[in-house]
Amino acid sequence: MTDSNPNIFKTVVPERRGTTSAEVVIQLRGMIHRGELRPGDRLPPERDLAKLLGVSRPTLRAGIRSLAAVGVLQSRQGAGTFVVESDGPPSLDSSPLSLMASLHGCTSGEMFEARRALEMAVAGLAAERAKGEQMATMAEEIAGMYASLEDPEQFLIHDVRFHQAVAAASGNRILTALMNMVAKVLFDIRIKTVNRATDLKESAEMHRRIYRAIREHNPEAAREMMQDHLIRAQRGWELEDESDLPSTSSDNDANDNGASRTL
Amino acid sequence: MTDSNPNIFKTVVPERRGTTSAEVVIQLRGMIHRGELRPGDRLPPERDLAKLLGVSRPTLRAGIRSLAAVGVLQSRQGAGTFVVESDGPPSLDSSPLSLMASLHGCTSGEMFEARRALEMAVAGLAAERAKGEQMATMAEEIAGMYASLEDPEQFLIHDVRFHQAVAAASGNRILTALMNMVAKVLFDIRIKTVNRATDLKESAEMHRRIYRAIREHNPEAAREMMQDHLIRAQRGWELEDESDLPSTSSDNDANDNGASRTL
DNA sequence: ATCACGAAATGGTCAGACCTTCTATAAGAA
DNA sequence: TTCTTATAGAAGGTCTGACCATTTCGTGAT
């Protein structure tokens, strides 16, 4: 029985700062921050919880939905509502970032640059702190890359896992989550293009150079290798589709990046 | 009349991949990505939009609420539902990050480190790209700091605005948004503690050093100055409350940061 | 012409019902 | 006895309809 103790929820709506559903969100969020709701916990059924909190079921559902939208709760029809289980690295939903980029007309160049900044920071930290087991994981993924030089799809899997291994070795879950969020947005764009096989062998060797820098606990080198790798990856991606841009856009003067495709 | 053309919404639910409300989210999100919904636009009334999309009003409301939770839409009772207007820098809601940190037991040290990485990256870019007007804004905020050495509250305002000015000068709105998100989480924690006046004069001078490095287009120096500044700020914050930690926690071995207070 | 009032518009909440999906328990077969 | 299958309950998803709270804007009085 993983259900939380129902008496925790006795805190009915005391005052109304804003709307009632906003109050529900505040209540639930507070329970999580206070540790009364832990990952994997199942919330009481909506009908019961609504009574406990003193609100109607639609209002409670509105609050639950708000927290589900940001990836904190997860409702499964017929099963219940759960606090999201965190197996693996912590993660943030990428859709808010993606939507924000669309609303502001951000360019893919800015997104690439953000990823570069995060990955460089993470690589530097990993070079300072990586433990033996984490080193081994990275090395294994690189071996997997070399073994998949003829299979771009498989290569990509090892590529992604290597970067996650580096992030894990950094020991900073906040940066890891941010990095994955940005990477996910770029991945969702990239997946639309045909996966034209770029030079996988060169890519594998760049990854190996990153690994060696981390292995030798050389943060500066790790950052530099990571930067080289990502700049080259970006360039390769930009060359893949030069058929969409009708003319050179010139409304944004703050970026000297190559790609100015609006997201 | 800022209402969007209603015929855009004629795209009723064609197929059901998941739940109906999820389909609504997909529809609305697609309109934003495609630029059919622009910042500041008002959506049709819920009752009308529900008919247009072929769903009931509660279902539509569920979808709207999901997008409102991630800061894309905003509903005002009596007025309508609007696509969030983006005056000023693009921003992301910080509560998902805050909740994620709580769920995973992340430490404030990790959060500080993430901020440091982002601010350093931003400072480096600002040093490469800052234009004259942006330089002027930074300089003004520094002047404001020196003018508020006796008024910690006012000083803090200029402090925050200086960092935002640097971010704006970086020309990367993605990094700016991420930086602000992390900074907001830290600010919400810090606001709970008494704002014991640390050495404001020294702080102002560190900001001035950051500014000078940016002014001279010296990215390395800008990064280094920013790092110094933030490390010192973190240290000062940690010294402010040493009365809460009962004993030295030792369950997380991946961080050699000072503060290991769980968020 | 200006200001105050009120009606219409619009999102927020509630109630109750029904459907869809999942889970767990119990019955039946190997 | 053990494994498989069927069934009933539980839980979230959706719908209809109504009413409340707030905002907006037009109309009327001053």
Side-chain angles (χ1 to χ4, degrees):
Chain A
M1 139 128 179
T2 62
D3 284 27
S4 311
N5 198 330
N7 62 7
I8 294 176
F9 299 95
K10 254 183 19 181
T11 50
V12 292
V13 203
E15 51 175 316
R16 297 191 152 193
R17 289 185 277 244
T19 64
T20 310
S21 62
E23 185 67 23
V24 171
V25 173
I26 292 173
Q27 296 282 331
L28 294 175
R29 203 165 47 188
M31 294 182 203
I32 293 173
H33 273 132
R34 270 179 264 116
E36 296 165 7
L37 286 178
R38 304 182 59 78
D41 280 358
R42 192 182 77 173
L43 272 62
E46 293 183 350
R47 293 163 178 84
D48 300 353
L49 185 50
K51 275 199 176 64
L52 286 171
L53 294 177
V55 300
S56 69
R57 195 177 157 217
T59 302
L60 171 66
R61 278 179 61 77
I64 289 177
R65 181 157 283 276
S66 287
L67 291 172
V70 299
V72 173
L73 297 181
Q74 185 180 12
S75 292
R76 292 203 303 269
Q77 189 174 180
T81 301
F82 302 83
V83 180
V84 143
E85 191 89 57
S86 53
D87 39 295
S91 65
L92 289 169
D93 186 12
S94 66
S95 68
L97 180 62
S98 175
L99 285 167
M100 188 208 72
S102 286
L103 283 177
H104 290 77
C106 294
T107 65
S108 55
E110 286 178 87
M111 196 68 77
F112 268 110
E113 189 174 74
R115 184 189 175 198
R116 219 159 56 222
L118 289 166
E119 295 255 18
M120 285 174 65
V122 157
L125 293 175
E128 294 176 4
R129 304 173 182 161
K131 300 277 169 45
E133 190 167 343
Q134 296 163 334
M135 300 269 198
T137 304
M138 290 184 252
E140 285 165 21
E141 297 303 338
I142 290 179
M145 288 187 215
Y146 278 106
S148 327
L149 289 180
E150 308 302 327
D151 183 353
E153 199 166 328
Q154 193 65 25
F155 187 94
L156 182 59
I157 293 176
H158 290 294
D159 187 336
V160 169
R161 288 213 292 227
F162 173 79
H163 285 273
Q164 286 178 344
V166 173
S170 79
N172 190 311
R173 291 160 290 183
I174 307 294
L175 279 174
T176 299
L178 296 178
M179 188 194 86
N180 281 329
M181 182 169 62
V182 174
K184 176 77 161 49
V185 173
L186 287 172
F187 188 84
D188 289 344
I189 305 172
R190 196 163 25 174
I191 210 171
K192 294 174 185 169
T193 78
V194 193
N195 199 338
R196 208 171 309 173
T198 49
D199 193 339
L200 296 187
K201 187 155 187 298
E202 179 189 351
S203 176
E205 277 166 7
M206 297 213 67
H207 282 97
R208 187 149 153 270
R209 251 170 279 165
I210 296 171
Y211 168 72
R212 277 216 299 254
I214 293 175
R215 173 88 186 160
E216 293 162 8
H217 296 295
N218 187 338
E220 291 78 16
R223 290 176 54 89
E224 197 177 333
M225 294 295 106
M226 182 63 85
Q227 171 161 252
D228 276 2
H229 164 52
L230 290 177
I231 285 180
R232 211 164 298 211
Q234 176 181 0
R235 207 170 291 153
W237 176 78
E238 284 164 3
L239 291 179
E240 273 191 6
D241 42 16
E242 61 244 350
S243 53
D244 305 353
L245 303 175
S247 65
T248 60
S249 61
S250 61
D251 48 353
N252 196 328
D253 58 323
N255 296 290
D256 55 357
N257 307 306
S260 50
R261 240 186 42 178
T262 261
L263 289 177
Chain B
M1 143 122 175
T2 61
D3 283 28
S4 310
N5 199 330
N7 62 7
I8 293 175
F9 299 95
K10 255 183 20 182
T11 50
V12 293
V13 204
E15 53 175 314
R16 298 191 151 193
R17 290 184 278 244
T19 64
T20 310
S21 62
E23 185 67 23
V24 171
V25 173
I26 292 173
Q27 296 283 332
L28 293 175
R29 203 165 47 188
M31 294 182 203
I32 292 173
H33 274 130
R34 270 179 263 116
E36 296 165 8
L37 286 179
R38 304 181 59 80
D41 279 359
R42 192 182 77 173
L43 271 62
E46 292 183 349
R47 292 162 178 86
D48 300 353
L49 185 50
K51 276 200 173 65
L52 287 171
L53 293 177
V55 300
S56 70
R57 196 178 156 215
T59 302
L60 171 66
R61 278 180 61 77
I64 289 177
R65 180 156 282 275
S66 287
L67 291 172
V70 300
V72 174
L73 296 181
Q74 184 179 13
S75 292
R76 292 203 304 269
Q77 188 173 182
T81 301
F82 301 83
V83 179
V84 144
E85 191 89 57
S86 53
D87 38 296
S91 65
L92 289 170
D93 187 12
S94 65
S95 67
L97 180 62
S98 174
L99 285 167
M100 188 208 72
S102 285
L103 283 176
H104 290 77
C106 295
T107 64
S108 54
E110 286 177 88
M111 196 66 77
F112 269 111
E113 189 174 73
R115 184 189 175 197
R116 219 159 56 223
L118 289 166
E119 294 255 18
M120 284 172 66
V122 157
L125 293 175
E128 294 176 3
R129 302 172 183 161
K131 299 278 170 45
E133 191 167 341
Q134 295 162 335
M135 300 270 197
T137 303
M138 289 185 251
E140 287 165 20
E141 297 303 336
I142 290 179
M145 288 187 215
Y146 278 105
S148 327
L149 290 180
E150 307 303 326
D151 184 353
E153 198 166 330
Q154 193 64 26
F155 187 95
L156 182 59
I157 293 176
H158 290 294
D159 188 336
V160 169
R161 288 213 292 227
F162 173 79
H163 285 272
Q164 286 177 344
V166 173
S170 78
N172 190 311
R173 292 160 290 184
I174 307 294
L175 279 174
T176 299
L178 296 178
M179 189 194 86
N180 282 329
M181 183 168 60
V182 174
K184 176 76 162 46
V185 172
L186 287 171
F187 188 84
D188 289 344
I189 305 171
R190 194 163 25 173
I191 210 171
K192 294 174 187 168
T193 78
V194 193
N195 199 337
R196 209 171 308 172
T198 50
D199 194 339
L200 296 186
K201 188 156 186 300
E202 180 189 352
S203 177
E205 276 165 9
M206 296 213 67
H207 282 97
R208 187 149 154 271
R209 251 171 281 166
I210 296 170
Y211 169 71
R212 276 217 298 257
I214 294 175
R215 172 90 185 158
E216 293 162 8
H217 297 295
N218 187 336
E220 290 79 15
R223 290 175 55 89
E224 197 178 332
M225 295 294 106
M226 182 63 86
Q227 172 162 247
D228 277 1
H229 163 52
L230 290 176
I231 285 179
R232 210 164 298 212
Q234 176 181 359
R235 206 170 293 153
W237 176 77
E238 285 164 3
L239 292 179
E240 274 190 7
D241 42 17
E242 60 244 352
S243 53
D244 306 355
L245 303 175
S247 66
T248 60
S249 62
S250 61
D251 48 351
N252 196 329
D253 57 323
N255 296 290
D256 55 356
N257 307 305
S260 51
R261 249 202 14 196
T262 261
L263 288 178

